[in-house]
Amino acid sequence: MNPFHPLRGRRLSAVGLLAATALLAAGTAAAAPDATTVKASTLGAQAAQSGRYFGTAAAAGKLGDSTYSTILDREFNMITPENEMKWDTTERSRGSFNFGPADQIVNHAAAHGQRMRGHTLVWHSQLPGWVSSITDATTLRSVMKTHITTEMNHFKGKIYAWDVVNEAFADGSSQHRGSVFQNVLGNGFIEEAFRTARAADPAAKLCYNDYNIEDWNAAKTQGVYAMVRDFKSRGVPIDCVGFQSHFGTGGPPASFQTTLSNFAALGVDVQITELDIAQAPATAYANTVKACMNVARCKGITVWGVRDSDSWRTGQKPLLFDNNGNKKPAYNAVLTALGGTPATTARASAAALPSSFRWSSSGALIAPKPDSTHNIAGIKDPSVVYYNGKYHVFASVASSSGYSLVYLSFSDWSQAGSATHHYLDRGAIGTGYRAAPQIFYFAPQKLWYLVYQTGNASYSTNADISNPNGWSAPRNFYASMPDIIRQNIGGGYWVDMWVICDSARCYLFSSDDNGHLYRSQTGLSQFPNGFTNTVIAAQDSNKFALFEASNVYKVQGSNQYLLIVEAIGSDGRRYFRSWTSGSIAGSWTPLAATESNPLARATNVTFPAGAWTKDISHGEMIRAGYDQTLTIPSCRLQYLYQGLNPNASGNYNTLPWRLGLLTQTNSTC
Ligand code: 9MR
C-alpha cells in the first residue's frame, strides 16, 4: 500500500480501466486456461477434488534429500511417519520419550500444509524388549496407557488419524495373534487401547490398521469385521479401519471394493494406508484407486514410500516413482483414476484453480484499537499465518501522523475482534514509517521473517512468532532503490515488498503504484542477502490496472504459482486481478484478471452480514503452511482483506479501514 498519497486512486473518475489491458510480462502469455479445466496435475490436489487425501509414508532422515522432498511436497497432502512414531523410537526405555524424529516430520508437514497420520501406538513389532518381557497385567496395562496417552498428548491437534492398534489379528485366522498384549492382557487389550486413545485426543480419528484384510472372503477380514461391528454396537470408540494393501503383482483382490463398502456400512471411515504393489502394474494401481473412489467413506490413500529406492520391498519396485524420482506408468494410472489429467496429455501446469471465483465475506472482524500513544484510524495490509493452533496477524496501523505495525493472534475468527493488539513500535522495530508487513517462517534458518516497507524493503527476524518483543531492528534488503525501479517509478511510491522462495532461490517482489511489478532474486542459502537482477515482472500502461499489494503463492499440489495484484476499478474501488505461472520467475497467464471476471471484487462477493465495504483491498490468502514457500490450498481459498465504509472520505491515511475475511464459495472440492 502507498502510505503517502492522500487521494490516491479513490473515486478516480473514469480511469478507463479495461479488461483487455495487456499485462506485459517477461515473455509472452500462454493461452488462457480452459474455463472447464479444473483437473489437477498432482495426486494430492486431485484427490482433494473429491474430498480425499493422497499420502505417503515418509522418513525423517530423507527430508534433506531435495529430490525426495520435492516430490513429497508436490504430490502428497498426507504423511505417515514410516518408523518414527513406533514404540522402539518413541519410548525405548520405560518413561523416557523421544519424539525428535517424528517432530521433524510433523514440522515439515505443518510447514507445507500436509496433514499427518499417526503410526502406530500398540503393535507387537518394533516393540522394545522391556515391554515384551512384561508378564504382569497391572504393569502392562499401565505401561500401555501411559504410552498411548503420552504420545497422543505430544502430537495433540496435529494428527488427522491414529493407527491405535496395528496388526493384532493372526495370519489366515479370525483370531488375535499372540503378542505380549494379547497374552498378558487378553482379548480386551484392543478395546482398552481405543478407549485410552479417545480420552487422550478426542479430536483425532482412531483407526484399526492391518494387512491381508482386503479380501472379503478371508478369515482375517471376517475377524476384523466382527471386531469393528462389536465395537460399534457397544460404543467402543473407533472411527476408521486402515487397509494396508501390500499387494502382489495382481493388485487388489476382486472383492476389495466390497470389503471397503461393507466396513464403511458399519459406520467407520476406511482408508488405504500402506499401498504398494509388486512391480507396480498400472492396472493394479488403477483398480486399487477405483475401489476407494467408489466408496464414499474411503477417505484417502497412502502409498508406503515415495521412490522405489525408499521402499521396504525395494527389490520389487512397488511404488509410483523410480529410483531417480521419475513418474512411473502407475503414477499416471493413479492420477487418472483419481479423476485427474496426467501431464503427458494435458498442459504441464493444468489449472488446479478455477478460472473464475465467487466469495462470501464476513463482516468487519478486526478494527483498530487506539491507545494513549497510538491514535489510529485504520488497520490495513494484513499478513497472516496459521501456526501452532493460532492465526498470527500482522498489519499496518494508519493515522494522520503515519504508519506503524501491529500484531495480534487468536485461535478462531470469532475471537479476532477481541484479540489484544501489540504495537511493534515498542520493540526494536522502532517508531517511524513501517508498513505493509509480510510474515513467513524461513525454515532453513528456523527463523520468522517480517518483511515490510520503510522507504526501502526491510525485514526483522524473531525466533518466536508469538513474542511481539522478539523482533530484531529493521535491516534493508537493498543498499538503495534498484536502478530499474528508479527509472520507472515516475510519480509513484515503492511499496508492498513480498518474498517467496522455491527450493533453489528466493524472490523479492515490489510495486511502484505506477503500473510496474518488480522482482529481484537471490539464492536460498544467501537469503536475506544478495537480492539482485531486479527486473519488471509485469507491467501495465494503465497504472491503476496493476497498482499494488501483490502477492505470489505456490498452489498446493500443483505446478502453479498464483499472482494477485490489487487494481483500482473504473468505479474507483479496489479489487484484485490474478494470473498463474509454472515458475515464480515465469510469464504470467491471466486467470481471473478483469473487472468483469476479477479474482475478488465487490461484484463477485456476497455479504451475508451486510455490505460493509465496496473495496476489496490489500490483504493475504490464508496459507496451507507457513514457511517461505507460501503454499496456499487449491480449493476453498480464504483471503483476509482490508475494507472500508463506502461513505468514508478524506485523507487516505485517516480512512477507517477494517479487516474482513473472504471465503471462496465456488470451490469444486
Ligand atoms: O516400512 C517399514 C520399514 O522401514 C521397517 O523396517 C519395518 C519394521 O517392521 O516396518 C515397515 O513398515 C511396516 C508398517 O509399519 C506396518 N505394516 C507393514 C509395513 C511394512 O513392513
Side-chain angles (χ1 to χ4, degrees):
M1 56 113 241
N2 172 338
F4 294 133
H5 248 357
L7 268 178
R8 190 176 66 117
R10 305 261 338 132
R11 316 251 157 41
L12 289 161
S13 58
V15 291
L17 208 186
L18 287 181
T21 309
L23 181 87
L24 299 177
T28 47
D34 173 355
T36 60
T37 304
V38 290
K39 290 184 171 182
S41 55
T42 62
L43 303 171
Q46 186 55 44
Q49 302 222 350
S50 68
R52 292 177 172 82
Y53 64 81
F54 205 97
T56 180
K62 291 178 182 165
L63 295 175
D65 170 343
S66 68
T67 307
Y68 181 84
S69 58
T70 298
I71 301 170
L72 178 68
D73 299 335
R74 186 187 69 215
E75 299 287 343
F76 300 102
N77 52 14
M78 185 74 77
I79 296 180
T80 309
E82 187 168 358
N83 291 298
E84 291 78 351
M85 289 183 177
K86 294 173 181 173
W87 202 314
D88 62 353
T89 298
T90 55
E91 195 185 5
R92 185 171 279 279
S93 59
R94 186 171 177 182
S96 166
F97 288 88
N98 170 24
F99 297 120
D103 282 342
Q104 278 183 40
I105 301 180
V106 172
N107 292 340
H108 180 99
H112 294 84
Q114 293 145 321
R115 291 186 292 166
M116 293 286 311
R117 294 191 81 265
H119 175 83
T120 177
L121 296 164
V122 179
W123 186 27
H124 66 276
S125 180
Q126 286 178 282
L127 187 66
W130 71 266
V131 184
S132 41
S133 57
I134 296 173
T135 51
D136 161 60
T138 311
T139 306
L140 184 59
R141 180 166 289 117
S142 159
V143 158
M144 183 180 83
K145 289 184 175 176
T146 301
H147 182 77
I148 294 171
T149 305
T150 309
E151 182 156 353
M152 288 186 76
N153 266 336
H154 179 82
F155 296 111
K156 201 167 186 164
K158 299 175 180 172
I159 304 293
Y160 161 73
W162 273 105
D163 291 333
V164 178
V165 176
N166 194 39
E167 302 176 3
F169 280 73
D171 291 334
S173 149
S174 61
Q175 303 302 308
H176 294 177
R177 74 166 68 236
S179 72
V180 67
F181 303 108
Q182 178 68 30
N183 302 346
V184 176
L185 299 177
N187 276 335
F189 87 89
I190 303 180
E191 174 173 348
E192 288 186 56
F194 274 84
R195 290 193 188 277
T196 307
R198 181 66 99 225
D201 184 356
K205 286 186 184 287
L206 307 181
C207 301
Y208 176 79
N209 191 52
D210 214 330
Y211 63 89
N212 283 357
I213 57 167
E214 295 81 12
D215 181 352
W216 180 241
N217 304 310
K220 191 170 172 182
T221 308
Q222 291 303 314
V224 174
Y225 179 82
M227 176 189 75
V228 176
R229 190 177 50 195
D230 170 54
F231 277 16
K232 292 301 287 184
S233 73
R234 292 190 296 112
V236 179
I238 183 167
D239 307 304
C240 36
V241 176
F243 298 80
Q244 292 186 7
S245 307
H246 296 293
F247 294 135
T249 46
S255 61
F256 188 31
Q257 186 179 315
T258 302
T259 305
L260 293 177
S261 55
N262 285 350
F263 272 87
L266 292 176
V268 289
D269 289 346
V270 292
Q271 305 173 11
I272 296 175
T273 52
E274 303 182 13
L275 177 63
D276 49 22
I277 308 181
Q279 310 308 331
T283 315
Y285 261 103
N287 289 342
T288 309
V289 173
K290 284 179 196 163
C292 180
M293 295 297 284
N294 289 337
V295 176
R297 286 198 81 155
C298 184
K299 297 295 186 185
I301 299 170
T302 296
V303 289
W304 206 241
V306 177
R307 300 160 300 192
D308 286 332
S309 48
D310 303 315
S311 171
W312 69 296
R313 27 190 325 209
T314 183
Q316 298 174 7
K317 301 185 188 316
L319 293 174
L320 301 178
F321 294 88
D322 70 17
N323 294 356
N324 298 319
N326 299 312
K327 295 171 183 171
K328 294 162 60 178
Y331 172 94
N332 285 346
V334 166
L335 187 59
T336 304
L338 290 168
T341 311
T344 45
T345 56
R347 280 172 290 115
S349 61
L353 295 172
S355 52
S356 67
F357 291 83
R358 289 195 303 278
W359 309 85
S360 173
S361 178
S362 69
L365 296 175
I366 300 174
K369 293 190 175 172
D371 66 16
S372 57
T373 53
H374 297 86
N375 177 23
I376 287 153
I379 183 163
K380 306 177 80 275
D381 317 323
S383 182
V384 54
V385 287
Y386 187 75
Y387 170 73
N388 225 355
K390 284 187 163 178
Y391 293 99
H392 300 261
V393 173
F394 295 78
S396 312
V397 283
S399 70
S400 52
S401 58
Y403 286 78
S404 55
L405 301 176
V406 71
Y407 162 72
L408 52 151
S409 67
F410 44 87
S411 53
D412 188 277
W413 291 105
S414 64
Q415 308 292 310
S418 51
T420 302
H421 289 203
H422 301 274
Y423 291 103
L424 300 184
D425 59 5
R426 298 215 166 97
I429 286 180
T431 54
Y433 167 41
R434 283 105 176 82
Q438 182 207 6
I439 181 75
F440 63 89
Y441 182 70
F442 191 66
Q445 295 168 1
K446 298 188 164 55
L447 267 185
W448 292 94
Y449 274 74
L450 193 66
V451 174
Y452 47 94
Q453 67 196 45
T454 55
N456 200 319
S458 303
Y459 66 90
S460 296
T461 61
N462 191 343
D464 176 5
I465 192 174
S466 64
N467 176 11
N469 300 316
W471 293 101
S472 61
R475 299 177 72 105
N476 293 337
F477 285 112
Y478 301 102
S480 59
M481 183 188 285
D483 286 347
I484 191 168
I485 303 182
R486 222 166 2 87
Q487 288 152 11
N488 289 280
I489 193 168
Y493 293 86
W494 190 25
V495 296
D496 298 337
M497 288 71 187
W498 183 264
V499 169
I500 177 172
C501 310
D502 59 22
S503 55
R505 275 180 277 279
C506 292
Y507 300 83
L508 174 49
F509 287 85
S510 57
S511 294
D512 67 359
D513 283 357
N514 196 35
H516 305 98
L517 176 68
Y518 301 101
R519 186 191 70 236
S520 309
Q521 66 181 56
T522 191
L524 187 74
S525 56
Q526 280 177 280
F527 180 82
N529 303 312
F531 273 110
T532 184
N533 293 339
T534 308
V535 296
I536 295 178
Q539 61 185 318
D540 198 298
S541 56
N542 176 350
K543 67 180 180 182
F544 300 114
L546 198 79
F547 204 61
E548 57 185 2
S550 304
N551 296 174
V552 180
Y553 296 103
K554 176 76 198 315
V555 181
Q556 187 174 42
S558 81
N559 303 322
Q560 281 189 315
Y561 288 87
L562 174 71
L563 164 66
I564 73 172
V565 185
E566 183 177 349
I568 303 174
S570 49
D571 58 356
R573 300 293 179 181
R574 303 301 183 107
Y575 76 102
F576 279 92
R577 307 173 65 203
S578 61
W579 295 262
T580 60
S581 172
S583 70
I584 303 175
S587 60
W588 295 97
T589 301
L591 181 69
T594 65
E595 275 203 67
S596 56
N597 180 29
L599 174 80
R601 187 168 185 242
T603 48
N604 67 343
V605 176
T606 58
F607 291 88
W612 62 280
T613 178
K614 289 184 175 163
D615 291 277
I616 307 291
S617 183
H618 194 140
E620 250 255 61
M621 292 285 181
I622 307 303
R623 301 177 214 156
Y626 51 79
D627 73 2
Q628 73 284 349
T629 63
L630 309 189
T631 304
I632 57 167
S634 58
C635 60
R636 285 194 286 277
L637 297 180
Q638 291 194 297
Y639 187 77
L640 181 66
Y641 72 102
Q642 61 176 33
L644 185 65
N645 179 341
N647 300 319
S649 63
N651 185 316
Y652 183 83
N653 295 352
T654 61
L655 291 172
W657 294 100
R658 304 284 183 263
L659 305 183
L661 182 69
L662 300 180
T663 299
Q664 189 191 352
T665 55
N666 70 325
S667 177
T668 50
C669 51

